Amino acid sequence: MPRLPAPEFWARSGLVPDLLQPLAWAYAAVGAARQAWVHPWRAPVPVICVGNLVAGGAGKTPVAIALARRLRASGVALHLLSRGYGGSLAGPVAVDRARHDATQVGDEALFLAAAAPAWIARDRVAGAKAAVAAGAQCLLLDDGLQNPTLAKDLSLLVIDGAYGLGNGRVLPAGPLREPLRSGLARADAVVLMGEDRGGVMPLLGGKSVLRARLVPENAAAFAGRTVVAFAGIGRPAKFFATLEGGGARLAARHAFPDHHPYRAAELKRLFAEAEATHAVLVTTAKDAVRLPAEWRARVETLSVTAKFDDVAALDRLVERVGAS
């Protein structure tokens, strides 16, 4: 099932968050108990986790892909692990982009599999064991900072600088999956994506910070063109702004819930709108894997990649756990 859009009150304090605060305390308590009670399994190879605190898009998947590409380029047999959110298969399953679709393994897993061998498994330990048996020398966990079942050798906490931590409260009163303090305690470093417009830096307590940003790979392909843009990701506004920043003229923008499964009727309406405005239909690379096969050639894709300001600092962190 697709996720619902983030409520507006998650971005600010007010009556609704106050009323929901008792539920937030309960949610945090359950998470803390799980962290305390579960004894994690330690893999025989280094395990790197790229996670976040905020429900919704923070940029963790592009960070995971950038790190995976970097390690594989250095000769490391790295495999990616994903829960397979939105897919029907429980796993462990090695993702095959020629055989699987998003309804089976989820959109993130298909996206990850373009960069490195990828596995989906709701049981993270079972997924890790399957990947190691298949020859993985290093495991990179996309998401999973809040999952205590698999021991991590390096955990990177990704925070979107524009959104920050919202109102700073835990679900359902705010967007946080757990309190900031506990998340920071298990993170070895923070990856701050973009400018710190959310005022995050003073809250990090001296934690090591890597600065990174999302950079469009093919924005020039849309410069000067009229587009109808649509996206079902955590923060669709970021996608629209990236297109405009690259010189595209947006005739319309359509935001769908994160992981939205596109139906033919919706795509027909979008295509008709694009034809009526003499525009091209554009979406994100992550959305593209959720399109029905017959529609993929009719929709153009904007791809982005995560770029680190200080790659040497990232390499030093990775070297510490013997993953390079």
Side-chain angles (χ1 to χ4, degrees):
M1 293 295 291
R3 294 174 181 167
L4 296 175
E8 291 185 7
F9 68 78
W10 278 3
R12 59 184 182 275
S13 296
L15 178 61
V16 175
D18 287 346
L19 291 173
L20 292 173
Q21 187 56 45
L23 292 176
W25 286 327
Y27 187 95
V30 170
R34 187 172 182 234
Q35 292 290 338
W37 293 341
V38 174
H39 182 70
W41 180 74
R42 181 161 293 281
V45 300
V47 175
I48 300 173
C49 175
V50 177
N52 65 0
L53 288 177
V54 174
K60 64 175 177 51
T61 298
V63 167
I65 289 174
L67 183 53
R69 286 173 174 166
R70 187 162 186 83
L71 285 169
R72 286 182 63 79
S74 68
V76 177
L78 178 138
H79 287 211
L80 288 152
L81 301 180
S82 170
R83 182 181 179 277
Y85 182 88
S88 61
L89 301 179
V93 173
V95 179
D96 183 345
R97 286 170 58 90
R99 183 167 60 92
H100 293 132
D101 61 25
T103 65
Q104 297 170 304
V105 298
D107 54 357
E108 289 178 345
L110 285 173
F111 196 39
L112 293 166
W119 297 76
I120 59 116
R122 293 175 191 171
D123 181 335
R124 300 302 181 93
V125 172
K129 289 179 177 179
V132 171
Q137 298 173 334
C138 178
L139 303 176
L140 202 164
L141 187 62
D142 178 47
D143 210 351
L145 185 66
Q146 289 76 36
N147 187 308
T149 61
L150 183 62
K152 292 95 172 173
D153 298 287
L154 174 66
S155 290
L156 302 178
L157 170 58
V158 182
I159 299 177
D160 177 20
Y163 185 79
L165 302 172
N167 62 14
R169 304 197 193 199
V170 174
L171 293 164
L176 300 189
R177 297 174 173 183
E178 64 175 313
L180 173 62
R181 178 180 295 182
S182 61
L184 281 176
R186 296 196 312 282
D188 297 284
V190 172
V191 179
L192 185 62
M193 300 296 291
E195 297 180 18
D196 183 20
R197 296 199 294 272
V200 170
M201 286 294 288
L203 306 176
L204 299 182
K207 185 69 68 173
S208 176
V209 177
L210 302 173
R211 305 298 295 260
R213 61 197 184 280
L214 291 179
V215 178
E217 295 180 307
N218 62 332
F222 304 103
R225 299 171 72 189
T226 302
V227 306
V228 168
F230 68 98
I233 55 176
R235 312 250 181 265
K238 292 169 62 177
F239 166 61
F240 304 143
T242 300
L243 278 170
E244 287 186 312
R249 296 187 296 269
L250 269 65
R253 60 194 79 197
H254 297 277
F256 292 87
D258 198 8
H259 302 282
H260 181 72
Y262 294 104
R263 299 171 179 83
E266 293 171 327
L267 294 167
K268 286 178 181 177
R269 287 195 295 269
L270 291 169
F271 191 74
E273 183 177 19
E275 283 193 318
T277 54
H278 305 287
V280 294
L281 201 53
V282 183
T283 193
T284 73
K286 188 175 173 183
D287 283 278
V289 300
R290 276 182 272 121
L291 298 176
E294 63 272 19
W295 276 93
R296 290 172 193 164
R298 304 170 72 180
V299 179
E300 297 193 34
T301 302
L302 175 72
S303 299
V304 297
T305 188
K307 295 288 187 182
F308 285 85
D309 292 353
D310 187 351
V311 175
L314 175 65
D315 288 343
R316 286 193 295 271
L317 282 173
V318 173
E319 288 167 2
R320 270 175 24 199
V321 300
S324 60

